[in-house]
Structure formats: structure tokens, C-alpha cells
Amino acid sequence: MKSARLFASNKEVKVDQDKFRLRLAGLPEKAPDDPVTTIAIECDGVPNQDTDFIRKERPRNNA
């Protein structure tokens, strides 16, 4: 993950990524555009979701 920004205002959004999730922080209290806010994310490679990895590495308790 390289960067994230609000598309309407070009304001940078803080990104925290770990092995299992991506968190966006520093978002404004009021959305800059209505009815949908778009966040532009620049990745350092092709995005990929590996659900088998998640199931093996992060078991769900009581499920």
C-alpha cells in the first residue's frame, strides 16, 4: 500500500495495514462529497484477497 486520499478534496488519508486488514484514519467528520465519498488508494502491486490464508492464520472463535 503506497497511499490513500479523498478523491474530492485530494486530502491525504492515514493508512495502517497489517497482515489481516487495512485501516483508514484521519477521515473528516463530515463527508466531503454526497451521497458517496470516494477514496483513491494507490497500491504497490495488484490487490489480492486470499481467504484461505485468513481462515488458516486467523481462526474465528466460537464459529
Side-chain angles (χ1 to χ4, degrees):
M1 173 66 136
K2 286 187 175 184
S3 66
R5 62 184 174 79
L6 294 171
F7 191 76
S9 65
N10 208 31
K11 180 182 178 207
E12 185 176 350
V13 175
K14 288 175 73 175
V15 178
D16 178 31
Q17 184 175 12
D18 65 25
K19 193 163 136 178
F20 299 109
R21 74 189 121 248
L22 174 79
R23 291 185 197 99
L24 302 173
L27 296 169
E29 193 169 311
K30 182 173 174 10
D33 41 357
D34 185 49
V36 177
T37 296
T38 302
I39 299 174
I41 297 175
E42 184 180 3
C43 301
D44 52 4
V46 176
N48 161 7
Q49 180 175 348
D50 184 347
T51 55
D52 290 335
F53 168 78
I54 298 296
R55 289 189 180 122
K56 291 175 188 170
E57 295 293 318
R58 188 174 183 219
R60 293 170 48 189
N61 296 331
N62 303 321

